[in-house]
Structure formats: structure tokens, C-alpha cells
């Protein structure tokens, strides 16, 4: 019988594929499969933005076992799912996403023909891997796992793959949040210090140049 919960903790070495394989195999063996990790994905607005702007190229960076790339590809987008872990990539690719599961991610009315999906195993810090450019890069709970003194480098690596008018979606999860404290978004200050335009969904037309869309979840 286990007397600790170390299996729940992401690897301390972000660049070890073997450590990430162990992590993802442990998650799945304990019943934490894709629907658990996808519970905070809501892409209807993201897809609507891309369609309105005529953008089609999306990178899901540090994808893990997430099924978001499959949902996005069903809206006519050209999607690349990038992750360091072969185990996570295999599970993400082979997981049987049912048509009814699509509604977890987006309005089925957004489905379009002509999309594509490619899975790539590699390091987001390696500029030769998925160099882009991409119209939208989505990172969900990935940058926040880097040590604070390495997050800026990781963000710069993603930004280098973004088109001049692209959108970088950065989703952070504050699992330790309790009111009345404010939830913590691990990358917000990085964007602010680097003079990114932080665009709020529903905040009017997309500003010129690259923008950041910040998502925050708690629980």
C-alpha cells in the first residue's frame, strides 16, 4: 500500500522524457486519464477568434495526454501536438475521443472539414522542434511547471514559434488557491515585463501584433 502521493507530482527535471513517461503512466494507473486533465478546456471562443481572423495553424505545447488537439482539428484547423513524453504522446494519439466528448471542448456547430493533426515528440526548448510559425500557441499548465528562473526562457522559446500577429494562450492552474487571496497566474508578470499586449476575450478586436490570452483555473 502506498504511503505517499509522490506519483501526483510532476517531475522536477522538466527535460527528462523518462521522468515524464513515469509521471503519465502513474497518472493513468491511478485513474487520472484524459477527461480529468481536460476538464478546464473550453475552446469555443478560441476557435471563433481563429475563424474570424482567418488563422489556421495551432501548436498545443506540452500537450501531455490532452485531447484538445483532436477537438481543434475537427474545426478545420491545422494542429500540432508537441510533448516530450513518448508515453503521453501515444496515449493522447490513441485515446478514443467520442463525438459526444467534443462538447466538453467546444460547440459542435463549430465543426468544419479540412483540419489536420500531427503529434510530435520533442522539447519545447529546442528551437528546431516545431519551429512554426503558428497563428496560435496553447500551453496549458506547462510554463508554470518550470522553475521561476527558467520560465522566461521557456516563454521565449514558445514566442519564437509564434507568427507576428499570433496569439499565445497561457493557462495556469492555482491548485492551492483559497479565498480571500487572489489566484496566482504564474506567467502573467512575465508577459507584462516583456511588454506583451494582454488581450481579454470579449475585449474588442484583436490588437495589432502578438498578444497573450491568459486563462486561470483553481481547485
Amino acid at each position: 500500500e502506498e504511503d505517499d502521493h509522490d506519483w501526483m507530482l510532476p517531475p522536477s527535471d522538466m527535460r527528462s522524457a523518462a521522468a515524464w513517461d513515469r509521471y503519465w503512466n502513474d497518472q493513468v494507473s491511478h485513474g487520472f486519464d484524459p477527461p480529468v486533465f481536460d476538464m478546464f478546456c473550453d475552446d469555443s471562443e478560441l476557435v471563433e477568434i481563429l475563424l474570424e481572423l482567418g488563422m489556421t495553424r495551432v501548436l498545443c505545447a506540452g500537450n501531455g495526454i490532452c485531447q484538445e488537439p483532436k477537438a481543434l482539428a475537427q474545426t478545420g484547423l491545422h494542429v500540432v501536438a508537441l510533448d516530450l513524453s513518448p508515453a503521453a504522446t501515444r496515449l493522447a494519439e490513441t485515446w478514443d475521443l467520442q463525438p459526444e466528448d467534443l462538447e466538453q471542448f467546444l460547440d459542435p456547430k463549430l465543426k468544419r472539414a479540412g483540419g489536420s493533426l500531427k503529434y510530435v515528440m520533442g522539447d519545447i526548448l529546442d528551437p528546431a522542434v516545431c519551429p512554426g510559425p503558428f497563428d496560435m500557441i496553447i500551453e496549458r499548465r506547462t510554463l508554470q511547471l518550470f522553475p521561476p528562473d527558467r520560465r522566461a526562457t521557456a516563454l521565449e522559446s514558445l514566442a519564437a514559434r509564434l507568427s507576428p500577429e499570433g496569439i499565445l494562450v497561457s493557462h495556469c492552474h492555482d491548485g492551492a488557491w483559497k479565498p480571500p487571496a487572489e489566484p496566482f497566474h504564474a506567467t502573467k508578470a512575465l508577459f507584462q515585463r516583456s511588454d506583451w499586449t494582454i488581450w481579454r476575450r470579449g475585449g474588442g478586436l484583436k490588437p495589432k501584433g502578438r498578444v497573450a490570452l491568459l486563462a486561470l483555473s483553481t481547485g
Side-chain angles (χ1 to χ4, degrees), residues 32-112:
F32 288 77
D33 51 18
V36 175
F37 286 91
D38 292 340
M39 68 174 62
F40 297 111
C41 295
D42 182 359
D43 290 337
S44 287
E45 288 182 297
L46 295 183
V47 172
E48 289 168 356
I49 288 169
L50 290 169
L51 293 177
E52 288 170 5
L53 296 174
M55 294 178 167
T56 61
R57 299 163 298 173
V58 179
L59 174 67
C60 294
N63 184 70
I65 62 176
C66 189
Q67 297 297 288
E68 183 174 29
K70 289 179 184 174
L72 293 172
Q74 290 191 42
T75 67
L77 299 172
H78 301 293
V79 185
V80 177
L82 170 62
D83 199 87
L84 185 65
S85 165
T89 301
R90 281 193 299 271
L91 180 57
E93 188 170 10
T94 59
W95 183 265
D96 187 14
L97 184 70
Q98 296 297 310
E100 59 270 20
D101 297 332
L102 185 66
E103 296 182 28
Q104 176 177 344
F105 297 94
L106 47 84
D107 186 337
K109 293 178 182 177
L110 292 171
K111 288 185 68 173
R112 303 284 190 280

Side-chain angles (χ1 to χ4, degrees), residues 55 163-167 197 206-211:
M55 294 178 167
S163 68
E165 292 293 325
I167 302 166
T197 298
K206 176 190 173 295
K208 290 289 186 182
R210 299 184 311 180
V211 301

Side-chain angles (χ1 to χ4, degrees), residues 6-202:
D6 286 350
W7 62 269
M8 300 180 69
L9 301 176
S12 57
D13 183 357
M14 287 289 290
R15 305 188 74 178
S16 170
W20 277 108
D21 278 354
R22 286 193 297 272
Y23 171 80
W24 287 115
N25 286 328
D26 283 344
Q27 301 310 299
V28 174
S29 69
H30 286 84
F32 288 77
D33 51 18
V36 175
F37 286 91
D38 292 340
M39 68 174 62
F40 297 111
C41 295
D42 182 359
D43 290 337
S44 287
E45 288 182 297
L46 295 183
V47 172
E48 289 168 356
I49 288 169
L50 290 169
L51 293 177
E52 288 170 5
L53 296 174
M55 294 178 167
T56 61
R57 299 163 298 173
V58 179
L59 174 67
C60 294
N63 184 70
I65 62 176
C66 189
Q67 297 297 288
E68 183 174 29
K70 289 179 184 174
L72 293 172
Q74 290 191 42
T75 67
L77 299 172
H78 301 293
V79 185
V80 177
L82 170 62
D83 199 87
L84 185 65
S85 165
T89 301
R90 281 193 299 271
L91 180 57
E93 188 170 10
T94 59
W95 183 265
D96 187 14
L97 184 70
Q98 296 297 310
E100 59 270 20
D101 297 332
L102 185 66
E103 296 182 28
Q104 176 177 344
F105 297 94
L106 47 84
D107 186 337
K109 293 178 182 177
L110 292 171
K111 288 185 68 173
R112 303 284 190 280
S116 64
L117 174 56
K118 180 181 180 181
Y119 289 89
V120 176
M121 286 179 287
D123 188 343
I124 65 172
L125 297 182
D126 183 349
V129 177
C130 301
F134 294 92
D135 299 313
M136 178 177 283
I137 296 176
I138 302 173
E139 70 86 11
R140 295 196 183 274
R141 307 179 301 280
T142 297
L143 289 181
Q144 73 179 78
L145 296 178
F146 281 87
D149 63 347
R150 296 290 292 162
R151 279 184 202 139
T153 299
L155 174 56
E156 289 166 6
S157 295
L158 292 185
R161 297 171 165 93
L162 196 62
S163 68
E165 292 293 325
I167 302 166
L168 204 163
V169 180
S170 182
H171 174 188
C172 291
H173 181 76
D174 186 353
W177 174 75
K178 288 183 174 52
E182 288 292 321
F184 176 63
H185 196 293
T187 61
K188 182 177 181 179
L190 288 178
F191 286 107
Q192 291 171 328
R193 287 200 299 269
S194 302
D195 294 323
W196 281 72
T197 298
I198 297 178
W199 182 34
R200 302 195 192 314
R201 282 181 269 183

